[in-house]
Coordinates of all heavy atoms in Angstrom, one line a residue:
M1 N 20.1 -8.4 -10.3 CA 19.4 -7.2 -10.0 C 18.1 -7.5 -9.3 O 17.3 -8.3 -9.7 CB 19.1 -6.5 -11.4 CG 18.5 -5.1 -11.2 SD 18.3 -4.4 -12.8 CE 16.9 -3.4 -12.5
I2 N 17.9 -6.8 -8.2 CA 16.6 -7.1 -7.5 C 15.5 -6.1 -8.0 O 15.7 -4.9 -8.0 CB 16.8 -6.8 -5.9 CG1 17.9 -7.7 -5.4 CG2 15.5 -7.0 -5.2 CD1 18.6 -7.3 -4.1
Q3 N 14.4 -6.7 -8.3 CA 13.3 -5.9 -8.8 C 12.2 -6.0 -7.8 O 11.7 -7.1 -7.5 CB 12.9 -6.4 -10.2 CG 12.3 -5.2 -10.9 CD 12.1 -5.5 -12.4 OE1 12.2 -6.6 -12.8 NE2 11.9 -4.5 -13.2
Q4 N 11.8 -4.9 -7.3 CA 10.7 -4.9 -6.4 C 9.3 -4.8 -7.1 O 9.2 -4.0 -8.0 CB 10.8 -3.7 -5.4 CG 11.3 -4.2 -4.0 CD 11.2 -3.1 -3.0 OE1 11.6 -2.0 -3.3 NE2 10.8 -3.4 -1.8
N5 N 8.4 -5.6 -6.7 CA 7.1 -5.5 -7.3 C 6.4 -4.3 -6.8 O 6.4 -4.1 -5.6 CB 6.3 -6.8 -6.9 CG 6.6 -8.0 -7.7 OD1 7.1 -7.9 -8.8 ND2 6.4 -9.1 -7.1
P6 N 5.9 -3.5 -7.7 CA 5.2 -2.3 -7.2 C 3.9 -2.7 -6.5 O 3.3 -3.7 -6.8 CB 4.8 -1.6 -8.5 CG 4.9 -2.5 -9.6 CD 5.8 -3.7 -9.1
V7 N 3.6 -2.0 -5.4 CA 2.4 -2.2 -4.7 C 1.3 -1.4 -5.3 O 1.4 -0.2 -5.5 CB 2.5 -1.8 -3.2 CG1 1.3 -2.1 -2.4 CG2 3.7 -2.5 -2.6
M8 N 0.2 -2.1 -5.8 CA -0.8 -1.4 -6.5 C -2.0 -1.1 -5.6 O -2.4 -1.9 -4.7 CB -1.3 -2.3 -7.6 CG -0.2 -2.8 -8.6 SD 0.7 -1.4 -9.3 CE -0.3 -1.0 -10.7
R9 N -2.5 0.1 -5.8 CA -3.6 0.5 -5.0 C -4.6 1.2 -5.9 O -4.3 1.7 -7.0 CB -3.2 1.5 -3.9 CG -2.4 0.9 -2.8 CD -3.3 0.0 -1.9 NE -2.6 -0.6 -0.8 CZ -2.1 -1.8 -0.8 NH1 -2.1 -2.5 -1.9 NH2 -1.5 -2.3 0.3
I10 N -5.9 1.3 -5.5 CA -6.9 1.9 -6.3 C -7.2 3.3 -5.9 O -7.4 3.6 -4.7 CB -8.2 1.0 -6.3 CG1 -8.0 -0.3 -6.9 CG2 -9.4 1.7 -7.0 CD1 -9.0 -1.3 -6.6
C11 N -7.3 4.2 -6.8 CA -7.7 5.6 -6.6 C -9.2 5.6 -6.2 O -10.0 5.0 -6.9 CB -7.4 6.5 -7.8 SG -8.2 8.1 -7.7
I12 N -9.5 6.3 -5.1 CA -10.9 6.2 -4.6 C -11.8 7.1 -5.5 O -13.0 7.0 -5.5 CB -11.1 6.7 -3.2 CG1 -10.6 8.1 -3.0 CG2 -10.4 5.7 -2.2 CD1 -11.3 8.8 -1.8
S13 N -11.2 7.9 -6.4 CA -12.0 8.7 -7.2 C -12.3 8.1 -8.6 O -13.4 7.8 -9.0 CB -11.4 10.1 -7.4 OG -12.2 10.9 -8.1
C14 N -11.2 7.8 -9.3 CA -11.4 7.2 -10.7 C -11.4 5.7 -10.7 O -11.7 5.1 -11.7 CB -10.3 7.8 -11.6 SG -8.6 7.3 -11.2
R15 N -11.1 5.1 -9.6 CA -11.1 3.6 -9.4 C -10.1 2.9 -10.3 O -10.3 1.7 -10.6 CB -12.5 3.0 -9.7 CG -13.7 3.7 -9.0 CD -13.7 3.6 -7.5 NE -13.7 2.3 -7.0 CZ -13.6 2.0 -5.7 NH1 -13.5 3.0 -4.8 NH2 -13.6 0.8 -5.3
K16 N -9.1 3.6 -10.8 CA -8.1 3.0 -11.5 C -7.0 2.5 -10.6 O -6.8 3.1 -9.5 CB -7.5 4.0 -12.6 CG -8.4 4.1 -13.8 CD -7.7 5.1 -14.8 CE -8.7 5.5 -15.8 NZ -8.4 6.9 -16.2
T17 N -6.2 1.5 -11.0 CA -5.2 1.0 -10.2 C -3.8 1.6 -10.6 O -3.5 1.8 -11.7 CB -5.1 -0.5 -10.4 OG1 -6.4 -1.1 -10.2 CG2 -4.1 -1.2 -9.4
Y18 N -3.1 2.0 -9.5 CA -1.8 2.7 -9.8 C -0.8 2.1 -8.8 O -1.1 1.6 -7.7 CB -1.9 4.2 -9.5 CG -2.7 5.0 -10.4 CD1 -4.1 5.2 -10.1 CD2 -2.2 5.5 -11.6 CE1 -4.9 6.0 -10.9 CE2 -3.0 6.2 -12.5 CZ -4.3 6.4 -12.1 OH -5.1 7.2 -13.0
D19 N 0.5 2.3 -9.2 CA 1.6 2.0 -8.3 C 1.4 2.9 -7.1 O 1.2 4.1 -7.2 CB 2.9 2.3 -9.0 CG 4.1 1.9 -8.2 OD1 4.0 1.9 -7.0 OD2 5.2 1.7 -8.8
R20 N 1.6 2.3 -5.9 CA 1.3 3.1 -4.7 C 2.1 4.4 -4.6 O 1.7 5.4 -4.0 CB 1.6 2.2 -3.5 CG 1.1 2.8 -2.1 CD 1.3 1.9 -1.0 NE 2.7 1.5 -0.8 CZ 3.1 0.7 0.1 NH1 2.3 0.2 1.0 NH2 4.4 0.4 0.2
K21 N 3.3 4.4 -5.1 CA 4.2 5.6 -5.0 C 3.7 6.7 -5.8 O 4.1 7.9 -5.7 CB 5.7 5.3 -5.2 CG 6.0 4.8 -6.6 CD 7.6 4.6 -6.6 CE 8.0 4.2 -8.0 NZ 7.8 2.8 -8.3
N22 N 2.8 6.5 -6.7 CA 2.2 7.6 -7.5 C 0.9 8.1 -7.0 O 0.2 8.9 -7.6 CB 2.0 7.1 -9.0 CG 3.4 6.9 -9.7 OD1 4.3 7.5 -9.4 ND2 3.4 5.9 -10.5
L23 N 0.5 7.6 -5.8 CA -0.7 8.0 -5.2 C -0.5 8.7 -3.9 O 0.6 8.6 -3.3 CB -1.6 6.7 -4.9 CG -2.0 5.9 -6.1 CD1 -2.5 4.5 -5.6 CD2 -3.2 6.6 -6.8
L24 N -1.4 9.6 -3.5 CA -1.4 10.2 -2.2 C -2.2 9.3 -1.3 O -3.3 9.0 -1.6 CB -1.9 11.6 -2.3 CG -1.9 12.4 -0.9 CD1 -0.5 12.8 -0.6 CD2 -2.8 13.6 -1.0
K25 N -1.5 9.0 -0.2 CA -2.2 8.1 0.8 C -2.7 9.0 1.9 O -2.0 9.9 2.5 CB -1.2 7.2 1.4 CG -1.7 6.2 2.4 CD -0.6 5.4 3.0 CE -1.0 4.5 4.1 NZ 0.1 4.0 4.9
I26 N -4.0 8.8 2.2 CA -4.6 9.6 3.3 C -5.0 8.6 4.4 O -5.7 7.6 4.1 CB -5.8 10.4 2.9 CG1 -5.4 11.4 1.8 CG2 -6.5 11.2 4.0 CD1 -6.1 11.1 0.5
T27 N -4.5 8.8 5.6 CA -4.7 7.8 6.6 C -5.4 8.4 7.8 O -5.1 9.5 8.2 CB -3.4 7.2 7.1 OG1 -2.7 6.6 6.0 CG2 -3.5 6.1 8.2
K28 N -6.4 7.7 8.3 CA -7.0 8.1 9.6 C -6.1 7.4 10.7 O -6.4 6.2 11.0 CB -8.4 7.6 9.6 CG -9.2 8.1 10.9 CD -10.6 7.7 10.8 CE -10.9 6.3 11.2 NZ -12.3 5.9 11.3
D29 N -5.2 8.1 11.2 CA -4.3 7.6 12.2 C -5.0 7.4 13.5 O -5.8 8.3 13.9 CB -3.0 8.4 12.3 CG -2.0 7.8 13.2 OD1 -1.2 7.0 12.8 OD2 -2.0 8.2 14.4
H30 N -4.7 6.3 14.2 CA -5.4 6.0 15.5 C -5.2 7.2 16.5 O -6.1 7.5 17.3 CB -4.9 4.7 16.1 CG -5.1 3.6 15.2 ND1 -6.4 3.3 14.8 CD2 -4.3 2.6 14.8 CE1 -6.3 2.2 14.0 NE2 -5.0 1.8 14.0
K31 N -4.0 7.7 16.5 CA -3.6 8.7 17.5 C -3.7 10.1 17.0 O -4.0 11.1 17.7 CB -2.2 8.4 18.1 CG -2.2 7.2 19.0 CD -0.8 6.9 19.4 CE -0.7 5.5 20.1 NZ 0.6 4.9 20.1
Q32 N -3.2 10.3 15.8 CA -3.0 11.7 15.3 C -4.0 12.2 14.4 O -3.9 13.4 13.9 CB -1.6 11.8 14.7 CG -0.5 11.4 15.7 CD 0.9 11.6 15.2 OE1 1.3 12.7 15.0 NE2 1.6 10.5 14.8
G33 N -5.0 11.4 14.1 CA -6.0 11.9 13.1 C -5.6 11.8 11.7 O -4.8 10.9 11.4
I34 N -6.0 12.6 10.8 CA -5.8 12.5 9.4 C -4.3 12.8 9.1 O -3.8 13.9 9.5 CB -6.7 13.4 8.6 CG1 -8.1 13.0 8.7 CG2 -6.3 13.5 7.1 CD1 -8.4 11.6 8.1
M35 N -3.6 11.9 8.4 CA -2.3 12.2 8.0 C -2.1 11.8 6.5 O -2.8 11.0 6.0 CB -1.3 11.2 8.8 CG -1.4 11.5 10.3 SD -0.2 10.5 11.2 CE 1.2 11.7 11.0
F36 N -1.1 12.5 5.9 CA -0.8 12.2 4.5 C 0.5 11.4 4.4 O 1.5 11.8 5.0 CB -0.6 13.5 3.8 CG -1.9 14.4 3.7 CD1 -2.1 15.4 4.6 CD2 -2.9 14.1 2.8 CE1 -3.3 16.1 4.6 CE2 -4.1 14.8 2.8 CZ -4.3 15.8 3.7
Q37 N 0.5 10.4 3.6 CA 1.6 9.6 3.3 C 2.2 8.8 4.4 O 3.2 8.1 4.3 CB 2.8 10.4 2.6 CG 2.4 11.2 1.4 CD 2.1 10.3 0.2 OE1 1.3 9.4 0.2 NE2 2.8 10.5 -1.0
K38 N 1.6 8.9 5.6 CA 2.1 8.2 6.8 C 0.9 7.9 7.7 O -0.2 8.3 7.5 CB 3.2 8.9 7.5 CG 2.9 10.3 7.8 CD 4.1 11.0 8.4 CE 3.8 12.5 8.7 NZ 4.8 13.4 8.5
G39 N 1.3 7.3 8.9 CA 0.2 7.0 9.8 C -0.2 5.6 9.7 O 0.0 4.9 8.8
M40 N -0.9 5.1 10.8 CA -1.4 3.8 10.9 C -2.9 3.8 11.1 O -3.4 4.5 11.9 CB -0.8 3.1 12.1 CG 0.7 2.8 12.0 SD 1.1 1.5 11.0 CE 0.6 0.1 12.0
G41 N -3.5 3.0 10.3 CA -5.0 3.0 10.4 C -5.6 2.9 9.0 O -5.0 2.5 8.0
R42 N -6.9 3.1 9.0 CA -7.7 3.0 7.7 C -7.1 4.0 6.7 O -7.0 5.2 7.0 CB -9.1 3.3 8.0 CG -10.0 3.1 6.8 CD -11.5 3.3 7.2 NE -12.0 2.1 7.9 CZ -12.5 1.0 7.3 NH1 -12.6 1.0 6.0 NH2 -13.0 0.1 8.0
S43 N -6.9 3.6 5.5 CA -6.3 4.5 4.5 C -7.1 4.5 3.2 O -7.7 3.6 2.9 CB -4.8 4.0 4.2 OG -4.0 4.0 5.3
A44 N -6.9 5.6 2.5 CA -7.5 5.8 1.2 C -6.4 6.3 0.3 O -5.5 7.0 0.8 CB -8.7 6.7 1.2
Y45 N -6.5 6.0 -1.0 CA -5.5 6.4 -1.9 C -6.2 7.2 -3.0 O -7.3 6.9 -3.4 CB -4.7 5.3 -2.6 CG -3.9 4.5 -1.6 CD1 -4.5 3.5 -0.8 CD2 -2.5 4.8 -1.5 CE1 -3.7 2.8 0.1 CE2 -1.8 4.1 -0.6 CZ -2.3 3.1 0.2 OH -1.6 2.4 1.1
I46 N -5.4 8.3 -3.4 CA -6.0 9.1 -4.6 C -4.8 9.4 -5.5 O -3.7 9.7 -5.1 CB -6.7 10.3 -4.1 CG1 -7.3 11.1 -5.2 CG2 -5.8 11.2 -3.2 CD1 -8.4 12.0 -4.9
C47 N -5.1 9.3 -6.8 CA -4.1 9.6 -7.8 C -3.9 11.1 -7.9 O -4.7 11.9 -7.4 CB -4.4 9.0 -9.1 SG -5.7 9.7 -10.1
K48 N -2.9 11.5 -8.6 CA -2.5 12.9 -8.6 C -3.1 13.7 -9.8 O -2.6 14.7 -10.2 CB -1.0 13.1 -8.5 CG -0.5 12.7 -7.1 CD 0.9 12.3 -7.1 CE 1.3 11.8 -5.7 NZ 2.7 11.3 -5.7
S49 N -4.1 13.1 -10.5 CA -4.7 13.8 -11.6 C -5.6 14.9 -11.0 O -6.4 14.6 -10.1 CB -5.4 12.9 -12.6 OG -6.6 12.5 -12.1
K50 N -5.6 16.1 -11.6 CA -6.4 17.2 -11.1 C -7.9 16.8 -11.2 O -8.6 17.2 -10.3 CB -6.2 18.4 -12.0 CG -6.6 19.7 -11.4 CD -6.1 20.9 -12.1 CE -6.2 22.2 -11.3 NZ -7.6 22.5 -11.0
K51 N -8.3 16.0 -12.1 CA -9.6 15.6 -12.3 C -10.1 14.9 -11.0 O -11.3 15.0 -10.6 CB -9.7 14.6 -13.5 CG -11.1 14.3 -14.0 CD -10.9 13.6 -15.3 CE -11.5 12.2 -15.4 NZ -11.0 11.2 -14.5
C52 N -9.2 14.1 -10.4 CA -9.6 13.4 -9.2 C -9.5 14.2 -7.9 O -10.5 14.3 -7.2 CB -8.7 12.2 -9.0 SG -9.2 10.9 -10.1
Y53 N -8.4 14.9 -7.7 CA -8.3 15.6 -6.4 C -9.2 16.9 -6.4 O -9.5 17.4 -5.3 CB -6.9 15.9 -6.0 CG -6.1 16.9 -6.8 CD1 -6.3 18.3 -6.6 CD2 -5.1 16.5 -7.7 CE1 -5.6 19.2 -7.3 CE2 -4.4 17.4 -8.4 CZ -4.6 18.7 -8.2 OH -3.9 19.6 -8.9
S54 N -9.5 17.4 -7.6 CA -10.4 18.6 -7.5 C -11.9 18.3 -7.7 O -12.7 19.1 -7.9 CB -9.9 19.7 -8.5 OG -9.9 19.1 -9.8
D55 N -12.2 17.0 -7.8 CA -13.5 16.5 -7.9 C -14.4 17.1 -6.7 O -13.9 17.0 -5.6 CB -13.5 15.0 -7.9 CG -14.9 14.4 -8.1 OD1 -15.9 15.1 -8.0 OD2 -14.9 13.1 -8.3
S56 N -15.5 17.6 -7.0 CA -16.4 18.1 -5.9 C -16.8 17.1 -5.0 O -17.2 17.4 -3.9 CB -17.5 18.9 -6.6 OG -18.3 18.0 -7.3
K57 N -16.8 15.8 -5.4 CA -17.3 14.8 -4.5 C -16.2 14.1 -3.7 O -16.4 13.1 -3.0 CB -18.0 13.7 -5.3 CG -19.3 14.2 -6.0 CD -20.0 13.0 -6.6 CE -21.0 13.5 -7.6 NZ -20.4 13.9 -8.9
I58 N -15.0 14.6 -3.9 CA -13.8 13.9 -3.3 C -13.9 13.9 -1.8 O -13.5 12.9 -1.2 CB -12.5 14.5 -3.8 CG1 -11.3 13.5 -3.5 CG2 -12.2 15.9 -3.2 CD1 -11.5 12.2 -4.2
K59 N -14.4 14.9 -1.2 CA -14.5 14.9 0.3 C -15.5 13.8 0.7 O -15.2 13.1 1.7 CB -15.0 16.3 0.8 CG -14.8 16.5 2.2 CD -15.2 17.9 2.6 CE -15.5 17.9 4.1 NZ -16.5 19.0 4.5
K60 N -16.6 13.7 0.0 CA -17.6 12.7 0.4 C -17.0 11.3 0.2 O -17.2 10.4 1.0 CB -18.8 12.8 -0.5 CG -19.9 13.7 0.1 CD -21.2 13.6 -0.7 CE -22.2 14.6 0.0 NZ -23.2 15.0 -0.9
K61 N -16.3 11.1 -0.9 CA -15.6 9.8 -1.1 C -14.6 9.5 -0.1 O -14.5 8.3 0.4 CB -15.0 9.8 -2.5 CG -16.0 9.7 -3.6 CD -15.4 9.8 -5.0 CE -16.4 9.7 -6.1 NZ -15.9 10.1 -7.4
L62 N -13.9 10.5 0.3 CA -12.9 10.2 1.4 C -13.6 9.9 2.7 O -13.1 9.0 3.5 CB -12.0 11.5 1.6 CG -10.8 11.5 0.7 CD1 -10.1 12.9 0.8 CD2 -9.8 10.5 1.0
Q63 N -14.6 10.6 3.0 CA -15.3 10.4 4.3 C -15.9 9.0 4.3 O -15.8 8.3 5.3 CB -16.5 11.4 4.4 CG -16.0 12.8 4.6 CD -17.1 13.8 5.0 OE1 -16.8 14.7 5.8 NE2 -18.3 13.6 4.5
K64 N -16.4 8.5 3.2 CA -16.9 7.2 3.1 C -15.8 6.1 3.2 O -15.9 5.2 3.9 CB -17.6 7.0 1.7 CG -18.8 6.1 1.8 CD -19.5 6.1 0.5 CE -20.2 4.7 0.3 NZ -20.6 4.5 -1.1
A65 N -14.7 6.4 2.5 CA -13.6 5.4 2.5 C -12.9 5.3 3.9 O -12.5 4.3 4.4 CB -12.5 5.8 1.5
L66 N -12.8 6.5 4.6 CA -12.1 6.5 5.9 C -13.1 6.4 7.1 O -12.7 6.3 8.2 CB -11.3 7.8 6.0 CG -10.2 8.0 5.0 CD1 -9.7 9.4 5.1 CD2 -9.1 7.0 5.2
K67 N -14.4 6.4 6.8 CA -15.4 6.4 7.8 C -15.2 7.5 8.8 O -15.0 7.2 10.0 CB -15.5 5.0 8.5 CG -15.8 3.9 7.5 CD -16.1 2.6 8.3 CE -16.6 1.5 7.6 NZ -16.6 0.9 6.4
I68 N -15.1 8.7 8.4 CA -14.8 9.8 9.2 C -15.6 11.0 8.7 O -15.9 11.1 7.5 CB -13.3 10.0 9.2 CG1 -12.9 11.0 10.3 CG2 -12.8 10.5 7.8 CD1 -11.3 11.1 10.4
I69 N -15.8 12.0 9.5 CA -16.4 13.3 9.1 C -15.2 14.2 9.0 O -14.5 14.5 10.0 CB -17.4 13.8 10.1 CG1 -18.6 12.8 10.2 CG2 -17.9 15.2 9.6 CD1 -19.4 12.6 9.0
L70 N -15.0 14.8 7.8 CA -13.8 15.7 7.6 C -14.2 17.2 7.9 O -15.3 17.6 7.6 CB -13.3 15.5 6.2 CG -12.7 14.2 5.9 CD1 -12.6 13.9 4.4 CD2 -11.3 14.0 6.6
E71 N -13.3 17.9 8.5 CA -13.5 19.3 8.7 C -13.6 20.0 7.4 O -13.0 19.6 6.4 CB -12.3 19.9 9.5 CG -11.7 19.0 10.6 CD -12.4 19.5 11.9 OE1 -12.7 20.6 12.0 OE2 -12.6 18.6 12.8
P72 N -14.3 21.2 7.3 CA -14.4 21.9 6.1 C -13.0 22.3 5.6 O -12.8 22.4 4.4 CB -15.2 23.1 6.4 CG -15.9 22.8 7.7 CD -15.1 21.8 8.4
E73 N -12.1 22.7 6.5 CA -10.8 23.1 6.0 C -9.9 22.0 5.5 O -8.8 22.2 5.0 CB -10.1 23.9 7.1 CG -9.9 23.3 8.5 CD -11.1 23.5 9.4 OE1 -12.2 23.7 8.9 OE2 -10.9 23.6 10.6
F74 N -10.4 20.8 5.7 CA -9.6 19.6 5.2 C -9.2 19.8 3.8 O -8.1 19.5 3.3 CB -10.3 18.3 5.5 CG -9.7 17.2 4.8 CD1 -8.6 16.5 5.3 CD2 -10.1 16.7 3.5 CE1 -8.0 15.5 4.6 CE2 -9.5 15.7 2.8 CZ -8.4 15.1 3.4
I75 N -10.2 20.2 3.0 CA -10.0 20.2 1.5 C -8.9 21.1 1.1 O -8.2 20.8 0.2 CB -11.4 20.5 0.8 CG1 -11.8 19.4 -0.1 CG2 -11.5 21.8 0.1 CD1 -11.6 18.0 0.1
D76 N -8.7 22.2 1.8 CA -7.6 23.1 1.5 C -6.3 22.5 1.8 O -5.3 22.6 1.0 CB -7.7 24.4 2.3 CG -9.0 25.2 2.0 OD1 -9.4 25.1 0.8 OD2 -9.5 25.9 2.8
I77 N -6.2 21.9 2.9 CA -5.0 21.2 3.3 C -4.7 20.1 2.3 O -3.5 19.9 1.9 CB -5.1 20.6 4.7 CG1 -5.4 21.7 5.7 CG2 -3.8 19.9 5.2 CD1 -5.9 21.2 7.1
F78 N -5.7 19.3 2.0 CA -5.6 18.2 1.1 C -5.1 18.7 -0.3 O -4.1 18.1 -0.9 CB -7.0 17.6 0.9 CG -7.1 16.6 -0.2 CD1 -6.5 15.4 -0.2 CD2 -7.9 16.9 -1.3 CE1 -6.6 14.5 -1.3 CE2 -8.1 16.1 -2.3 CZ -7.4 14.8 -2.3
E79 N -5.6 19.8 -0.8 CA -5.2 20.3 -2.1 C -3.8 20.7 -2.1 O -3.0 20.5 -3.0 CB -6.1 21.4 -2.6 CG -7.2 20.8 -3.5 CD -7.9 21.9 -4.3 OE1 -7.2 22.8 -4.9 OE2 -9.1 21.9 -4.4
K80 N -3.4 21.4 -1.0 CA -2.0 21.9 -0.9 C -1.1 20.6 -0.9 O 0.0 20.6 -1.5 CB -1.8 22.6 0.4 CG -1.7 24.1 0.2 CD -1.5 24.9 1.5 CE -2.4 26.1 1.5 NZ -2.8 26.5 2.8
E81 N -1.5 19.6 -0.1 CA -0.7 18.4 0.1 C -0.5 17.7 -1.3 O 0.6 17.4 -1.7 CB -1.4 17.5 1.1 CG -0.6 16.4 1.6 CD 0.6 16.9 2.5 OE1 0.4 18.0 3.1 OE2 1.6 16.2 2.5
I82 N -1.6 17.6 -2.0 CA -1.5 16.8 -3.2 C -0.8 17.6 -4.3 O 0.0 17.0 -5.1 CB -2.9 16.3 -3.7 CG1 -2.7 15.1 -4.7 CG2 -3.7 17.3 -4.4 CD1 -3.9 14.1 -4.8
T83 N -0.9 18.9 -4.4 CA -0.2 19.6 -5.4 C 1.3 19.7 -5.0 O 2.2 19.7 -5.9 CB -0.7 21.1 -5.6 OG1 -0.9 21.7 -4.3 CG2 -2.0 21.0 -6.3
S84 N 1.7 19.7 -3.7 CA 3.1 19.7 -3.4 C 3.7 18.3 -3.7 O 5.0 18.3 -3.8 CB 3.2 20.0 -1.9 OG 2.9 18.9 -1.1
H85 N 2.9 17.3 -3.8 CA 3.5 16.0 -4.2 C 3.4 15.8 -5.7 O 3.7 14.7 -6.2 CB 2.7 14.9 -3.5 CG 3.1 14.7 -2.1 ND1 2.3 15.2 -1.0 CD2 4.2 14.1 -1.5 CE1 2.9 14.9 0.1 NE2 4.0 14.3 -0.1
N86 N 3.0 16.8 -6.4 CA 2.7 16.7 -7.8 C 3.9 17.0 -8.7 O 3.7 17.0 -9.9 CB 1.5 17.6 -8.1 CG 0.6 16.9 -9.0 OD1 0.8 15.8 -9.5 ND2 -0.6 17.5 -9.3
D87 N 5.0 17.2 -8.1 CA 6.2 17.6 -8.9 C 7.1 16.5 -9.4 O 8.2 16.7 -9.8 CB 7.0 18.7 -8.1 CG 7.4 18.2 -6.7 OD1 7.1 17.0 -6.4 OD2 8.0 18.9 -6.0
Y88 N 6.6 15.3 -9.2 CA 7.4 14.1 -9.7 C 7.4 14.2 -11.2 O 6.5 14.6 -11.9 CB 6.8 12.8 -9.2 CG 5.5 12.4 -9.8 CD1 5.4 11.5 -10.8 CD2 4.3 12.9 -9.3 CE1 4.2 11.1 -11.4 CE2 3.1 12.6 -9.9 CZ 3.0 11.7 -10.9 OH 1.8 11.3 -11.4
P89 N 8.6 13.7 -11.8 CA 8.7 13.8 -13.3 C 7.7 12.9 -14.0 O 7.6 11.7 -13.7 CB 10.1 13.4 -13.5 CG 10.6 12.7 -12.3 CD 9.7 13.1 -11.2
N90 N 7.0 13.5 -14.8 CA 5.9 12.7 -15.5 C 6.4 12.0 -16.7 O 5.8 11.0 -17.2 CB 4.9 13.7 -16.0 CG 3.5 13.5 -15.3 OD1 3.2 12.4 -15.0 ND2 2.8 14.5 -15.1
K91 N 7.6 12.5 -17.2 CA 8.1 11.9 -18.5 C 8.7 10.5 -18.2 O 9.2 10.2 -17.2 CB 9.1 12.8 -19.1 CG 8.5 14.0 -19.7 CD 9.5 15.1 -19.9 CE 8.9 16.5 -20.1 NZ 9.7 17.6 -19.6
G92 N 8.5 9.7 -19.2 CA 9.2 8.4 -19.2 C 8.4 7.3 -18.4 O 8.9 6.2 -18.2
I93 N 7.2 7.7 -18.0 CA 6.4 6.6 -17.3 C 5.5 5.9 -18.3 O 4.9 6.6 -19.1 CB 5.5 7.3 -16.2 CG1 6.4 7.9 -15.1 CG2 4.6 6.2 -15.5 CD1 5.7 8.6 -14.0
Ligands
LIG101 ZN1 -7.9 9.0 -9.7

């Protein structure tokens, strides 16, 4: 049986380490700008706890991590994105 080692990343909000697949990846793509879960370039990860993604400082933290100025409407897109990825089964983890 092949077991893949989980890739661990740190949530930029709570600074806890998680398996990458349980995090939302935000990437500043070289060509396409900000992308979720894909893209090439500087990336930041955030866990899916409401405490983290609804943190009032999350935009600032993302801007710092990605070295970018985010549009005001980014936060709406971001919240939609993270809540739509939030339906993974929580039980058994
Ligand atoms: Zn977090």
